[in-house]
Amino acid sequence: MTSTYPTTEEARIVAAAEELMVKTMARYDPSHDAFHVQRVRKNVLYLARTVSDSLPEDKRPDLLTVELAALLHDVLDKKYVSAEEAADPYAFFLPFFKRAASDSGLDLVKDGRARLVARIVENVSWSTEKKLIAAGKIDGWYRNCVELHCVQDADRLDAIGAFGILRCAAYSAATNHALHTPEGDPAHESSAIQHFHDKLLHIKDRLKTEAGKKLAEKRHKLMLDFLQAVEDEYNVQS
């Protein structure tokens, strides 16, 4: 990482990744669209730069790696692509990185960053982390990779707070799930409100960077206030 990021060569690769992301994700629903990715991109650069302030130079996250991983993190989301497509992110993105090397003169395949970006993409999701924890497969890389932690936190911050509320409702609408149901209704477990209790309210305590945890406090409170307002409005005539 350098203080002059991005260089001309880095900017070309970032622009190419952004173009790939926008083209691919145009067919996804609004909960996982290019605007979501741009917010994650903004978050990740803030987190990476903030984390860097407390780390020695050789331990600081590589800004190109985190920005590329943020831009590409949902291109192969299993909710939108086949299991076959999502099975090997490195193989999927390798032609992109080879073209980028030719166009920019910066070979991320040769220096290993292309593989790191793909590994982050493969491991960024909440569901993947849950499966790894359940199987006892959280390894040293997963525990210590600062680039992974920045991308995970950036993505998860966009799942909570005001945008998290909007995205939860949007995905429920796109998948034809109820927004809210009475307790005991068969649709309750798959409702948008239940998703807050199953996942979103737990995110704050699973973030990995101190900067991410700080940003999460206000967003978490907003969700609690929102859920209370939903219950108050639902029970107004009870």
Side-chain angles (χ1 to χ4, degrees):
M1 187 187 75
T2 70
S3 59
T4 58
Y5 179 82
T7 63
T8 301
E9 294 80 9
E10 289 168 336
R12 286 181 185 146
I13 293 181
V14 168
E18 183 176 13
E19 182 179 4
L20 171 63
M21 177 275 292
V22 170
K23 181 178 179 180
T24 303
M25 296 184 67
R27 65 179 185 267
Y28 299 173
D29 69 78
S31 70
H32 292 78
D33 59 10
F35 299 108
H36 156 64
V37 175
Q38 296 292 10
R39 292 190 300 271
V40 173
R41 174 198 207 173
K42 183 178 179 181
N43 285 341
V44 85
L45 289 172
Y46 170 78
L47 294 177
R49 289 185 168 113
T50 303
V51 165
S52 294
D53 291 340
S54 62
L55 292 173
E57 188 170 354
D58 63 338
K59 300 293 184 182
R60 294 172 185 171
D62 177 68
L63 292 182
L64 179 59
T65 297
V66 297
E67 187 167 14
L68 290 174
L71 284 169
L72 300 176
H73 83 278
D74 268 346
V75 166
L76 294 177
D77 191 306
K78 295 180 180 68
K79 293 186 289 297
Y80 305 98
V81 303
S82 68
E84 183 179 20
E85 286 179 293
D88 190 345
Y90 184 65
F92 180 89
F93 289 120
L94 188 57
F96 162 76
F97 282 113
K98 287 181 175 178
R99 287 194 303 272
S102 177
D103 293 341
S104 72
L106 189 58
D107 193 341
L108 302 188
V109 176
K110 185 176 181 180
D111 70 22
R113 283 183 287 180
R115 189 170 291 279
L116 177 56
V117 168
R119 192 173 184 184
I120 292 170
V121 168
E122 187 173 22
N123 286 278
V124 70
S125 80
W126 179 270
S127 59
T128 296
E129 183 170 82
K130 282 183 66 176
K131 290 175 184 176
L132 290 173
I133 291 172
K137 292 184 177 180
I138 297 292
D139 59 16
W141 174 81
Y142 201 99
R143 286 191 295 269
N144 298 311
C145 181
V146 181
E147 287 88 355
L148 171 66
H149 298 169
C150 288
V151 180
Q152 284 180 320
D153 280 13
D155 185 34
R156 293 171 191 184
L157 282 167
D158 202 56
I160 62 176
F163 280 112
I165 292 169
L166 289 169
R167 292 180 64 217
C168 181
Y171 186 71
S172 293
T175 55
N176 199 30
H177 288 111
L179 297 179
H180 181 276
T181 71
E183 291 279 353
D185 187 281
H188 181 74
E189 290 304 309
S190 61
S191 69
I193 291 300
Q194 185 58 35
H195 185 61
F196 284 85
H197 298 285
D198 291 342
K199 174 184 174 181
L200 306 185
L201 292 178
H202 301 285
I203 285 178
K204 176 177 71 71
D205 296 326
R206 291 269 292 275
L207 297 179
K208 297 179 175 70
T209 66
E210 291 305 313
K213 293 174 185 177
K214 185 175 180 180
L215 289 175
E217 293 291 340
K218 184 177 179 181
R219 300 181 189 211
H220 184 80
K221 183 180 185 304
L222 178 61
M223 291 193 299
L224 293 176
D225 292 343
F226 167 75
L227 291 171
Q228 185 60 58
V230 168
E231 292 307 307
D232 290 347
E233 291 181 20
Y234 180 74
N235 294 321
V236 67
Q237 294 179 342
S238 299

